[in-house]
């Protein structure tokens, strides 16, 4: 399997910058500063119409955890269905119960929906909140989930390096273990060598300025008119660092 960089994108411009930097896969969401929320259909359509990117869409209706009531679950299922109808190549989601165990019933329903479209199912960083990660991994693999996003149950993948390595070593033949954030371009190759992971997700963000909020002179608390965007040169640096080598590896 080829080593790959997945870019976290919050809008159409981010996706264009990701592609211009050489990325082939993104995870698309809104509200990156909130940890990511379900993206708009318009954004997905623009990305699919004008790029060759593999697009994984995050389905997350709100911040503050992964325990959802029935109304939120129904909304998430509808969102996933609409995103799949409009070209999403995969859906990332996470369902936990009140005890921080995987919500098996809701997870199975979402996986079945995604697979009915012959698309990929990814369990998001809800997995970093569970108490029994081995049980959770076994359940996800049994359900046929294609991948998980994890920072090794720590704030970032560098701090969670030992757990990321354990998950890849123990379960990586049956599921993609995607390390999330905390690794810079200078130590990324060594991190992948040490942990064995093949996919690393990062945002590659830079800052831009919106002139209208600057001219509002403090009326709005929007970082003084600054907003984050994907920098294609940072994407290119990550891609060039790791995507040259091919490895004999398959997800079984």
């Amino acid at each position: 399997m080829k080593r790959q960089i997945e870019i976290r994108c919050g809008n159409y411009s981010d996706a264009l910058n990701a592609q211009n930097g050489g990325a082939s896969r993104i995870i698309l969401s809104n509200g990156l500063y909130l940890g990511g929320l379900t993206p708009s259909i318009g954004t997905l359509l623009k990305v699919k119409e004008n790029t060759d990117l593999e697009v994984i869409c995050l389905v997350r209706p709100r911040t503050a955890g992964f325990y959802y009531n029935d109304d939120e679950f129904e909304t998430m299922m509808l969102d996933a269905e609409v995103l799949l109808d409009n070209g999403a190549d995969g859906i990332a989601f996470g369902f936990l119960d009140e005890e921080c165990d995987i919500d098996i019933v809701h997870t199975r329903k979402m996986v079945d929906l995604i697979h009915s479209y012959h698309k990929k199912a990814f369990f998001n960083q809800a997995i970093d909140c569970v108490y029994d990660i081995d049980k959770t991994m076994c359940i996800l693999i049994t359900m046929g989930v294609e991948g998980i996003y994890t920072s090794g149950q720590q704030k970032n993948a560098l701090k969670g390096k030992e757990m990321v390595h354990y998950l890849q070593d123990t379960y990586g033949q049956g599921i993609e273990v995607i390390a999330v954030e905390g690794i810079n371009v200078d130590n990324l190759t060594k991190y992948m060598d040490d942990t064995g992971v093949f996919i690393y997700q990062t945002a590659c963000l830079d800052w831009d300025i919106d002139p209208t909020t600057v001219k509002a002179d403090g009326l709005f608390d929007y970082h003084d008119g600054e907003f984050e965007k994907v920098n294609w040169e940072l994407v290119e640096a990550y891609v060039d660092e790791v995507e040259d080598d091919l490895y004999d590896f398959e997800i079984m």
Side-chain angles (χ1 to χ4, degrees):
M1 180 177 178
K2 185 179 179 180
R3 286 181 172 177
Q4 189 174 23
I5 299 297
E6 179 183 282
I7 306 300
R8 194 159 61 248
C9 295
N11 52 55
Y12 174 55
S13 294
D14 282 351
L16 289 180
N17 286 334
Q19 178 162 272
N20 290 339
S24 58
R25 171 166 148 175
I26 67 171
I27 182 165
L28 186 65
S29 66
N30 279 334
L32 293 182
Y33 67 98
L34 296 172
L37 301 172
T38 306
S40 75
I41 300 304
T43 301
L44 174 61
L45 287 173
K46 288 284 286 183
V47 173
K48 293 301 294 184
E49 288 171 1
N50 297 290
T51 76
D52 298 320
L53 294 164
E54 179 183 3
V55 182
I56 311 302
C57 288
L58 178 66
V59 171
R60 186 170 179 246
R62 59 164 172 81
T63 61
F66 306 97
Y67 172 65
Y68 303 108
N69 62 34
D70 289 342
D71 291 334
E72 289 169 326
F73 171 71
E74 290 175 7
T75 299
M76 293 172 72
M77 292 292 288
L78 181 58
D79 281 337
E81 184 175 358
V82 175
L83 290 165
L84 291 163
D85 281 334
N86 285 279
D89 298 295
I91 299 292
F93 66 95
F95 295 118
L96 302 180
D97 63 22
E98 292 177 279
E99 304 301 323
C100 287
D101 290 322
I102 183 172
D103 183 332
I104 295 176
V105 173
H106 285 166
T107 300
R108 188 183 301 279
K109 288 181 179 179
M110 179 64 81
V111 172
D112 287 347
L113 172 65
I114 296 166
H115 286 169
S116 73
Y117 283 82
H118 305 289
K119 302 299 183 179
K120 297 178 181 178
F122 296 87
F123 203 76
N124 66 20
Q125 282 190 267
I127 199 163
D128 286 335
C129 300
V130 302
Y131 291 114
D132 192 336
I133 198 164
D134 289 295
K135 175 183 176 182
T136 303
M137 291 295 290
C138 290
I139 291 170
L140 293 174
I141 290 171
T142 299
M143 288 185 181
V145 171
E146 279 76 14
I148 63 158
Y149 293 97
T150 181
S151 57
Q153 298 197 310
Q154 298 292 330
K155 187 174 183 179
N156 59 55
L158 183 59
K159 292 184 177 181
K161 181 178 178 179
E162 290 186 7
M163 176 59 77
V164 172
H165 182 204
Y166 169 76
L167 293 174
Q168 175 63 39
D169 188 55
T170 307
Y171 302 105
Q173 290 296 321
I175 194 169
E176 289 182 353
V177 176
I178 304 157
V180 179
E181 277 298 344
I183 316 301
N184 62 49
V185 70
D186 296 322
N187 63 11
L188 179 56
T189 297
K190 185 177 187 307
Y191 183 89
M192 287 183 148
D193 288 342
D194 290 346
T195 61
V197 296
F198 288 84
I199 304 177
Y200 174 68
Q201 183 203 103
T202 187
C204 292
L205 293 177
D206 199 357
W207 290 95
D208 205 345
I209 297 177
D210 185 304
T212 60
T213 47
V214 172
K215 290 179 180 179
D217 193 24
L219 181 61
F220 304 109
D221 184 20
Y222 297 155
H223 300 286
D224 296 323
E226 293 183 320
F227 64 93
E228 293 177 316
K229 68 174 185 179
V230 170
N231 182 313
W232 72 267
E233 292 175 311
L234 292 176
V235 174
E236 185 177 61
Y238 275 93
V239 171
D240 287 348
E241 178 65 22
V242 304
E243 291 201 7
D244 290 335
D245 297 322
L246 291 173
Y247 294 81
D248 294 327
F249 175 85
E250 293 182 359
I251 297 293
M252 302 302 291

